[in-house]
Amino acid sequence: MNKKEMEEAIISNYQKDEQMMILVFAQWCINHDLDPESVYLRAYPNQTANPALQQALDLTVPREEAGDISNDTVLGVLSLYGNDDLAFVVSEEIQKLTKK
């Protein structure tokens, strides 16, 4: 594998992992009866149409069919990818959920 192929493979893997992070976020929202697009827009109000989020939403399943995604997992995945603004908004939602 030459240098260019190696770089392309690294970029491809990162993009796949990033898509998985978005899917974890979206499914976590669904599991907690939250609208992923609304939560996302609170963190990134200038990104009204995010194709990666739309793609992830197509892959989510109803809450009843989904496995549990812990709060720590979603926050950890968001932080791993530097999605601090979204992690902050998710933390606010977690606080609201724990008060119920």
Side-chain angles (χ1 to χ4, degrees), residues 50-86:
N50 182 317
L53 180 57
Q54 293 303 316
Q55 186 178 10
L57 290 173
D58 292 340
L59 298 173
T60 59
V61 296
R63 178 182 185 169
E64 302 76 33
E65 296 175 25
D68 184 47
I69 299 172
S70 73
N71 297 339
D72 289 339
T73 298
V74 73
L75 290 173
V77 169
L78 292 172
S79 295
L80 182 67
Y81 281 86
N83 245 323
D84 297 331
D85 293 338
L86 189 54

Side-chain angles (χ1 to χ4, degrees), residues 9-98:
I10 290 170
I11 291 168
S12 175
N13 285 337
Y14 181 83
Q15 289 170 334
K16 288 177 192 171
D17 291 345
E18 185 178 40
Q19 187 62 37
M20 183 57 65
M21 176 267 305
I22 297 168
L23 179 58
V24 168
F25 159 74
Q27 190 63 59
W28 178 87
C29 287
I30 300 293
N31 291 358
H32 290 90
D33 296 322
L34 299 169
D35 175 27
E37 291 176 297
S38 296
V39 175
Y40 187 87
L41 280 174
R42 283 181 35 218
Y44 304 109
N46 296 328
Q47 295 183 18
T48 55
N50 182 317
L53 180 57
Q54 293 303 316
Q55 186 178 10
L57 290 173
D58 292 340
L59 298 173
T60 59
V61 296
R63 178 182 185 169
E64 302 76 33
E65 296 175 25
D68 184 47
I69 299 172
S70 73
N71 297 339
D72 289 339
T73 298
V74 73
L75 290 173
V77 169
L78 292 172
S79 295
L80 182 67
Y81 281 86
N83 245 323
D84 297 331
D85 293 338
L86 189 54
F88 180 79
V89 173
V90 167
S91 293
E92 290 178 335
E93 290 299 329
I94 291 169
Q95 287 178 351
K96 289 178 192 175
L97 292 168
T98 56

